[in-house]
Amino acid sequence: LNMSQEEATKRILKAIKKQVHLDHLLKAAKAAIHNKMILQVNIVLGFPEETFLDILKTYWFILRCGFIGFSEVHIACFYPLPHTEQYFNLQKRGKLPQEEALNDDYFYTLFQGTDPKSPKSWNDHFSNHQMKILILLGYSLFFFSLFLSRPWRFFRLFGNVFKKRQELKTERILRNTLD
């Protein structure tokens, strides 16, 4: 089950018009985990209006997800989808091409937002390289809190990787990286 919180600060949630309440999401997650469901939380970093303080608050949320028992996290870099409010705001600021310039190259950059190795930052506060570090730090915090609170998950994860058995996306990614 994927839970798309995307962001942990009320200010950014309001800016992206996401009506999710952290407490409700975490309460639902605890119930789902109690019922043996596999949960993934989806996080997006680098919204144009996001600050380092916002990212620190999101890191705190990521840590809580690991301690609660989420199985996985997916952290992506923000990317402006065409015809969204953020897209038009970036276009007004000259950061995005006009409609007629939308081509395959532009759409290819959208997919870079999901690749933690080569994110494209749309935030004036963070470079592409800084976004890469922020995303990798988020993953590190999640797995630190998960393995600290549930050490058997570490052994199960790597056991599955070496046995070429997959229960989680993370195991597939690790196995593909090692092959």
Side-chain angles (χ1 to χ4, degrees):
L1 178 63
N2 282 336
M3 296 188 150
S4 292
Q5 176 60 31
E6 295 181 3
E7 179 59 48
T9 62
K10 290 178 183 177
R11 186 177 72 79
I12 301 297
L13 288 171
K14 184 177 179 181
I16 64 173
K17 297 178 172 52
K18 182 104 179 178
Q19 297 180 356
V20 176
H21 298 280
L22 254 51
D23 295 334
H24 297 156
L25 182 131
L26 293 175
K27 185 177 178 181
K30 287 177 186 178
I33 291 164
H34 177 75
N35 288 299
K36 310 285 187 230
M37 294 182 79
I38 294 173
L39 294 185
Q40 173 179 307
V41 63
N42 298 319
I43 301 291
V44 177
L45 295 178
F47 287 98
E49 51 278 293
E50 194 168 33
T51 65
F52 189 65
L53 181 59
D54 296 318
I55 289 178
L56 289 176
K57 290 177 182 178
T58 300
Y59 283 165
W60 176 245
F61 176 75
I62 289 170
L63 282 167
R64 289 175 66 192
C65 290
F67 282 120
I68 286 170
F70 276 78
S71 300
E72 298 189 279
V73 64
H74 176 72
I75 305 172
C77 185
F78 165 82
Y79 51 93
L81 295 174
H83 302 287
T84 61
E85 186 175 336
Q86 289 145 334
Y87 174 86
F88 292 126
N89 287 340
L90 287 167
Q91 206 173 42
K92 284 178 194 170
R93 292 175 42 210
K95 301 257 183 194
L96 281 172
Q98 295 302 312
E99 294 298 316
E100 61 274 1
L102 292 179
N103 55 29
D104 289 345
D105 290 336
Y106 173 75
F107 286 98
Y108 177 71
T109 64
L110 294 180
F111 293 111
Q112 286 180 307
T114 63
D115 182 0
K117 294 180 291 189
S118 59
K120 163 112 176 77
S121 178
W122 298 94
N123 184 307
D124 292 336
H125 299 103
F126 309 109
S127 68
N128 294 346
H129 183 71
Q130 288 169 326
M131 284 309 306
K132 177 180 177 178
I133 292 168
L134 292 169
I135 290 168
L136 293 175
L137 181 58
Y139 276 109
S140 299
L141 290 170
F142 174 78
F143 285 108
F144 169 78
S145 62
L146 176 67
F147 295 149
L148 186 65
S149 63
R150 290 165 175 76
W152 65 89
R153 291 245 185 120
F154 174 84
F155 297 106
R156 186 170 67 195
L157 175 85
F158 285 98
N160 284 344
V161 168
F162 290 112
K163 291 176 186 173
K164 298 191 182 220
R165 193 172 58 198
Q166 179 188 338
E167 294 175 14
L168 305 171
K169 289 183 222 174
T170 305
E171 294 162 349
R172 177 180 44 84
I173 292 166
L174 281 172
R175 191 173 68 235
N176 290 342
T177 301
L178 295 174
D179 286 345

